[in-house]
Amino acid sequence: MNDLTAIIAGRGVLPVHLARTLASQGAPFLVAEIEGAGFAASAEPGWTVEPFALERLALLFDMLHDRGVTRVVLAGGLTRPRLEPERIDPKTAQLLPRILPALGQGDDATLRAVIALFEDEGLTVVGADVVAPDLLPAPGVQTYVQPSQADMGDADRAARIVATLGAADVGQGAVVAQGLCLAVETLPGTDAMLDWVAQVAGACRPDPNGARGVFYKAPKPGQDRRVDLPAIGPATVEAAHRAGLAGIVIEAGGVMILDAEATRARADALDLFLWVRSP
C-alpha cells in the first residue's frame, strides 16, 4: 500500500500541480491548506482539503497522525506569519520556543525549524521535485532565442552575486546587465525586484543599445532543497519582458519551472531566452 502524502499548501500553483501529479499516479494524498492560501478554490472533485491555522500547528500534527499520513511536502508561498496570541492552543504554545527564535533569523532558519517539527512528529519531509520530478528541467536553452556572449557573461556575474547574497540568507535572484547589477532579490520577492528594474533600475544600463540583461535565479548555498526550492513560471517571463531583459537563467537542478510548456511558449512569443544553466 502507498504511503499517504500530505501536501502542506501555501499560495500559488505548485500545490495544485503536486495534487494533480499524485492523483494521476493513483497515490493517496490529502491537502492541508494554510489558512488564507486559497487552495480550496482550485481543488478538484475527490480531493481531501483540510484547512489549518499556523496558531494551531499542533492540531495539524494530530490530524495528520489520525489520517495515517507518513510523508509531507511543503509547497507554495507563505508570507512571514504574524501570529495572533489569542488563537494559539496550549499544545502549539509548547512549540513556540522553537519557532519564534527562528522567525527572526531569516527564511532558511525558519524553514529548518519547520522541517524539524515535522520530523520530530515522525513524518518524512520530501521536496516537491521528489513528488513531481518533471518540475526540474534538463540543462540547456529551452527556447528558440539563444543567449549571446554578453548574456552569458551577465549570467556568470549574476550567479556569483546570488551565491554571495544567498550565503547571507538574503535572496535567490539578481538582475545583471552589461556586467552591472541592477537589482537583487530581497524579502519582497522576484516580482517586486523585476518591477523595480522595469520602473527605475533599467535606466541605469550604460549603453541603451547594448545587452539588455538577464534575470538569474538559483537556490541559496547550503539551502535545504526540500522546502522553498525556487520556481519560475509564465508570470516570471511576463515580468522579465516588462523589465526589458533579454532572458531568464536558472540553475539546473535547483529551480523548478511551473507550467513549463506555457512558460516556454510565452518566452518564445516575447523573444526571450530561457536557459537552464549547469552550476
Side-chain angles (χ1 to χ4, degrees), residues 195-217:
D195 286 346
W196 165 257
V197 175
Q199 297 170 18
V200 179
C204 297
R205 296 178 178 90
D207 180 0
N209 298 315
R212 304 199 308 273
V214 304
F215 165 46
Y216 178 86
K217 197 168 184 69

Side-chain angles (χ1 to χ4, degrees), residues 94-267:
Q94 298 176 25
L95 302 175
L96 292 183
R98 299 177 58 185
I99 300 173
L100 294 180
L103 288 174
Q105 296 177 29
D107 290 344
D108 284 357
T110 301
L111 292 170
R112 283 194 296 269
V114 170
I115 290 174
L117 290 175
F118 280 95
E119 290 181 331
D120 287 350
E121 290 291 325
L123 299 164
T124 300
V125 180
V126 299
D129 57 306
V130 172
V131 174
D134 61 297
L135 290 169
L136 291 179
V141 179
Q142 307 285 306
T143 49
Y144 296 120
V145 177
Q146 301 288 309
S148 67
Q149 286 298 120
D151 296 329
M152 292 180 182
D154 284 342
D156 288 342
R157 169 90 167 124
R160 293 194 297 272
I161 292 169
V162 170
T164 300
L165 293 177
D169 197 9
V170 172
Q172 299 172 314
V175 173
V176 171
Q178 301 173 31
L180 298 179
C181 182
L182 301 185
V184 295
E185 180 183 308
T186 55
L187 191 59
T190 295
D191 290 344
M193 177 188 66
L194 292 176
D195 286 346
W196 165 257
V197 175
Q199 297 170 18
V200 179
C204 297
R205 296 178 178 90
D207 180 0
N209 298 315
R212 304 199 308 273
V214 304
F215 165 46
Y216 178 86
K217 197 168 184 69
K220 299 169 187 173
Q223 176 179 330
D224 191 322
R225 300 193 177 197
R226 290 176 292 175
V227 290
D228 197 31
L229 200 64
I232 65 167
T236 315
V237 175
E238 297 279 358
H241 175 67
R242 291 193 300 271
L245 301 179
I248 298 172
V249 186
I250 62 175
E251 181 184 292
V255 180
M256 300 179 290
I257 299 182
L258 307 178
D259 200 350
E261 184 175 345
T263 300
R264 288 191 292 266
R266 198 68 192 126

Side-chain angles (χ1 to χ4, degrees), residues 42-66:
S42 303
E44 298 181 4
W47 292 2
T48 299
V49 181
E50 298 281 358
F52 75 95
L54 290 172
E55 292 89 346
R56 297 173 182 174
L57 191 59
L59 302 183
L60 167 67
F61 294 143
D62 290 343
M63 184 274 289
L64 296 179
H65 289 311
D66 289 344

